[in-house]
Amino acid sequence: MMLVKTKKELFEKLQVLREKGSIGFVPTMGALHRGHLSLVDFAARENPVVVVSIFVNPTQFNDPDDLKRYPRDLEADLELLKTTGCNLVFAPEAAEMYPEPDTRKFDFGHLEQVMEGKHRPGHFNGVAQVVSKFFEIVQPDRAYFGQKDFQQLAVIKMLVRLLNLPVEIVACPIVREKSGLAMSSRNELLSPEERENASLIFDILSQAKNLTGEKSVEGLVTWVIENINKNPFLNVEYFEVVDSENLQPVKTWEEKGEKKGCIAVHCGKVRLIDNIVLN
Ligand code: AMP
């Protein structure tokens, strides 16, 4: 496994690697866990070459404290990646990715106005800036994203359509801790007590899945929020039931299509997100 930090080195290595066949790309912000590694495994199964990027992208943070606190440990990440099918790690500094400010503004319409978009203004524009740069630099055949960031996945798919990029977006399932808590780099910032209590999020989401027969959509939303907020460590920012395809709000269970319950919860200073298929 090779590590490069500049675009120039990356281009040189990729020129050689590309001869082996398709390139699978996994963009990450580091502080890697089994969720990230599962994406690398999917990529390695489908491509002879796997590239992983590690970059805490400043333009997608709307809260400077969140950016400062975000966990970083390149050495540990490299040790983990050595155990996978990753061939090349690209870990640039911010100046390498943004030699000048990126002033591009993307328009994802409804997709960026709900849930994460509403509560983290500018977040998806920053995601689109960095991912489009990575796609240009790496030119992957396939790119792997986790369903944990479900709205991000929808935004990336739209980005690819908007820019006509020749990359296939592969959605990978959520990997969870034994307690059910969705794995996240931010879990490292939780105290042991907070981490234990945070497992209630998936517990309640799983129960909600079984209540769609007896509660209206609105009733279920209220039930989820109330039951999570009963826990003194947790504070729900939003819980919404949306159509999996277009993220439009769902009003009744009779509507066609897959329905997702998407949630953001504050646990101490840490903001956690999760989602579940409800039907
Ligand atoms: P991040 O480093 O948090 O930006 O995440 C990098 C990629 O890993 C994104 O596509 C995430 O959706 C994905 N990811 C993060 N956590 C998980 C998880 N628990 N299960 C599956 N994929 C995940």
Side-chain angles (χ1 to χ4, degrees):
M1 189 181 81
M2 296 175 288
L3 166 68
V4 294
K5 297 203 163 189
T6 65
K7 286 174 279 188
K8 186 169 177 291
E9 290 169 288
L10 183 78
F11 288 135
E12 284 165 11
K13 303 288 184 211
L14 281 177
Q15 219 165 19
V16 180
L17 285 172
R18 229 180 274 284
E19 284 169 16
K20 291 192 187 181
S22 66
I23 295 183
F25 175 50
V26 182
T28 81
M29 298 205 297
L32 300 181
H33 49 67
R34 278 199 293 113
H36 296 114
L37 301 186
S38 77
L39 305 190
V40 180
D41 287 344
F42 277 110
R45 251 177 265 163
E46 296 179 346
N47 307 276
V49 181
V50 176
V51 178
V52 175
S53 64
I54 298 178
F55 179 60
V56 182
N57 172 38
T59 72
Q60 73 187 69
F61 284 80
N62 55 323
D63 172 359
D65 277 346
D66 187 26
L67 174 60
K68 208 158 63 190
R69 274 200 306 268
Y70 200 86
R72 296 161 171 88
D73 191 345
L74 184 60
E75 286 309 311
D77 289 345
L78 296 175
E79 284 307 309
L80 281 176
L81 286 173
K82 273 185 203 160
T83 67
T84 70
C86 172
N87 304 100
L88 182 56
V89 181
F90 180 42
E93 295 293 334
E96 184 68 13
M97 290 304 285
Y98 297 104
E100 53 212 84
D102 192 340
T103 55
R104 289 176 299 163
K105 291 264 182 285
F106 297 86
D107 184 356
F108 298 111
H110 170 76
L111 283 188
E112 63 180 339
Q113 284 151 20
V114 294
M115 301 193 289
E116 291 302 285
K118 191 156 89 190
H119 290 91
R120 301 183 69 189
H123 168 65
F124 287 125
N125 201 64
V127 169
Q129 287 176 339
V130 79
V131 171
S132 61
K133 275 174 179 278
F134 276 134
F135 284 176
E136 257 172 295
I137 299 169
V138 178
Q139 302 202 356
D141 297 276
R142 299 188 186 87
Y144 296 78
F145 291 87
Q147 292 194 334
K148 180 181 157 267
D149 299 272
F150 189 67
Q151 194 172 359
Q152 167 172 282
L153 197 51
V155 166
I156 302 285
K157 284 181 183 164
M158 185 162 174
L159 175 76
V160 164
R161 291 197 300 273
L162 280 175
L163 303 181
N164 301 301
L165 300 174
V167 53
E168 180 191 339
I169 302 302
V170 184
C172 304
I174 301 177
V175 177
R176 299 182 178 280
E177 296 185 0
K178 242 205 201 125
S179 68
L181 177 64
M183 289 206 166
S184 164
S185 305
R186 288 191 167 87
N187 293 355
E188 284 182 28
L189 303 172
L190 298 169
S191 69
E193 212 179 11
E194 286 170 338
R195 200 162 176 146
E196 208 181 304
N197 283 276
S199 65
L200 182 73
I201 301 167
F202 183 61
D203 184 11
I204 294 293
L205 290 183
S206 308
Q207 292 184 49
K209 200 180 160 90
N210 297 321
L211 290 175
T212 56
E214 56 187 85
K215 287 189 190 297
S216 66
V217 173
E218 209 186 320
L220 190 77
V221 168
T222 307
W223 183 87
V224 165
I225 294 173
E226 279 179 5
N227 277 282
I228 294 182
N229 281 346
K230 271 184 200 160
N231 182 299
F233 288 88
L234 305 176
N235 187 18
V236 176
E237 185 171 83
Y238 68 78
F239 174 66
E240 292 189 25
V241 180
V242 298
D243 180 288
S244 289
E245 281 298 311
N246 53 28
L247 304 195
Q248 291 286 350
V250 167
K251 298 214 169 53
T252 69
W253 300 118
E254 285 72 44
E255 287 172 34
K256 268 199 299 197
E258 187 182 86
K259 296 164 188 69
K260 280 246 176 186
C262 300
I263 197 162
V265 180
H266 290 275
C267 181
K269 285 190 165 170
V270 183
R271 187 175 179 279
L272 302 168
I273 58 170
D274 200 347
N275 64 79
I276 193 167
V277 175
L278 289 169
N279 63 325

